[in-house]
Amino acid sequence: MEKELVLKKKIMLFLFMNSIYFFSYFHRVAIPGTIFNQLQTGFNLTANQVATLGTIVFSIYGTLQFFVGPCMDFFGTNRIFLSGGFLLCIGSLIFSFSHSIFFLYFSRILIGFGASVMYLGMVKKTDELFGPDFFPVMLGVALFLGYSGGLFATLPFERLVTIFGWRNTILWMAIIFLVVLFVILFVLLKHGQLRYQKNSISFEDIKATFLNRKSYPLVITVSINFAIYFLFQGLIGKKLLQDICSVSSKIAASFTFAMMVNIMFFVLFWGAMTRLIKKRKEFVVSLCMIQIFSCALMIVNLILWKVPMIFFISFFLFAMIGGSGPLTTTLMKEINPSTVGTSVGFINALCYIFVAITGNISGFIMDRFSQQAIITSEAVIYPVSAYIAIVVFCLFLSFVSLATSLKIVEEHREFKVEIPAPS
């Protein structure tokens, strides 16, 4: 009976902490992608300025992945996790009240710092709460809940924004999660889980991962593939559909909603497949070829047809590639058997740094076509040529990804697939 009570308390704490991870993933997908037009017209911003609202978070998130692990070892997981959670909520509150680009950017900086600790924090807390026997299962639950935050950031968020406005929606979400944070703080204080302990800090694993040149082809391939997926998931996918196909905000958000559902499915699919296949490099190469086809299909559709369902096919294929984290993480673990945690953090970091770079370049490209854009009271509608230029850029990156994938080295070590990346 006592063991059941302890387990229930652990599950409750686990769910509370995962709600903050949910909120973190929500911010990565929702802004600016779902409310691109509202932000652009409301603040009179360029496309690049709107895109920067996303890339600020991705840049900070990606860069800090190199250092979050050692900092958690030194200061303690609970302290870092709570600090990140409060920064995330404070940044959200400031964002909802912002009336200038300065405060928009400042709030996103706070959100970037807060979000950067959530994934690794959840990994470490899951291990602490449930131990090695239940770790893979419970981590799968944590990732599912995190991706659910991304799912909520698409169609459900768009519907709430339509009814209540983006400011009120983000404000009340921030208040709810701030209350959750205080509950977590109370529980941890009650059980003495915030006491400082003298710990050591080491960056030796980071150094070892950087010096392993076998990692480079895989890291480049995965980072490019994930960046292309996330470009359409969280930055310009919804706007592309609205601008090119003249669909409603609701319909466009339903496409990115389906895209998020697909990646949640493919994370599970590739997790199962990775246990069964031996020549994993061949699958990575095949995915790169599929990405080239998807980009080419999108370019042809932009030029000739402009059919929403063909864009949906491209989005589906991008999600299939973006959800291949279990496959590529297993390869990364094989290449870096002595620094598994750091190497997974390394590939996760580079993925989001590439997202930031790709997002800024796409915003820059859109601004080059601003003279041809149609400006209405509700949106700045960019021409087809702007999106063709972006997808041609993605096609070029896809060929780079294919070339580097051919240089991936397989070590054929046996590992359990535990930590999908990126997350």
Side-chain angles (χ1 to χ4, degrees), residues 31-65:
I31 302 167
T34 305
I35 55 173
F36 194 109
N37 285 337
Q38 290 91 329
L39 292 170
Q40 185 170 29
T41 56
F43 289 87
N44 194 27
L45 305 178
T46 66
N48 196 37
Q49 287 174 319
V50 179
T52 301
L53 291 171
T55 58
I56 284 174
V57 173
F58 301 138
S59 299
I60 295 172
Y61 181 96
T63 303
L64 290 184
Q65 293 308 294

Side-chain angles (χ1 to χ4, degrees), residues 62-63 65-67 203-216 219 332 336 339 342-343 345-347 349-350 353:
T63 303
Q65 293 308 294
F66 297 113
F67 310 106
F203 293 99
E204 289 301 315
D205 285 354
I206 295 176
K207 181 181 176 182
T209 303
F210 269 107
L211 292 177
N212 187 355
R213 294 187 178 182
K214 290 181 180 180
S215 302
Y216 294 170
V219 168
M332 192 68 172
N336 299 274
T339 58
T342 303
S343 63
F346 177 62
I347 203 169
L350 265 293
I353 290 173

Side-chain angles (χ1 to χ4, degrees), residues 270-304:
W270 285 114
M273 282 294 294
T274 302
R275 292 180 179 272
L276 301 176
I277 58 180
K278 297 297 181 183
K279 295 183 178 181
R280 295 165 183 139
K281 173 184 173 179
E282 293 180 2
F283 279 83
V284 176
V285 173
S286 298
L287 288 174
C288 293
M289 296 175 70
I290 290 171
Q291 184 164 267
I292 290 172
F293 169 78
S294 182
C295 289
L297 178 64
M298 187 176 284
I299 292 169
V300 173
N301 191 31
L302 283 166
I303 296 171
L304 299 179

Side-chain angles (χ1 to χ4, degrees), residues 6 12 24 33 41 77 88 100 107-108 115 169 173 178 207 210 236 242 327 333 375 382 402 417:
V6 171
M12 286 301 296
S24 164
T41 56
T77 302
L88 186 65
S100 70
S107 66
R108 295 295 285 175
T169 303
M173 287 185 68
L178 194 59
K207 181 181 176 182
F210 269 107
I236 67 165
Q242 289 181 271
L327 173 66
K333 291 170 75 175
I375 301 174
Y382 289 90
L402 176 62
V417 180

Side-chain angles (χ1 to χ4, degrees), residues 215-338:
S215 302
Y216 294 170
L218 179 63
V219 168
I220 294 171
T221 297
V222 173
S223 299
I224 289 175
N225 292 354
F226 185 76
I228 292 173
Y229 150 72
F230 214 95
L231 177 67
F232 294 98
Q233 175 72 80
L235 292 174
I236 67 165
K238 178 174 177 283
K239 181 159 181 59
L240 180 151
L241 291 166
Q242 289 181 271
D243 287 1
I244 302 303
C245 303
S246 300
V247 299
S248 67
S249 175
K250 180 181 178 180
I251 297 298
S254 69
F255 275 56
T256 52
F257 178 89
M259 197 176 181
M260 198 71 220
V261 171
N262 288 334
I263 198 170
M264 292 168 72
F265 165 77
F266 279 115
V267 166
L268 300 176
F269 171 80
W270 285 114
M273 282 294 294
T274 302
R275 292 180 179 272
L276 301 176
I277 58 180
K278 297 297 181 183
K279 295 183 178 181
R280 295 165 183 139
K281 173 184 173 179
E282 293 180 2
F283 279 83
V284 176
V285 173
S286 298
L287 288 174
C288 293
M289 296 175 70
I290 290 171
Q291 184 164 267
I292 290 172
F293 169 78
S294 182
C295 289
L297 178 64
M298 187 176 284
I299 292 169
V300 173
N301 191 31
L302 283 166
I303 296 171
L304 299 179
W305 308 307
K306 303 175 183 62
V307 177
M309 287 311 299
I310 295 180
F311 285 123
F312 181 82
I313 293 170
S314 292
F315 284 10
F316 175 84
L317 295 176
F318 288 144
M320 179 176 69
I321 299 160
S324 63
L327 173 66
T328 53
T329 298
T330 302
L331 281 168
M332 192 68 172
K333 291 170 75 175
E334 290 176 353
I335 295 169
N336 299 274
S338 61

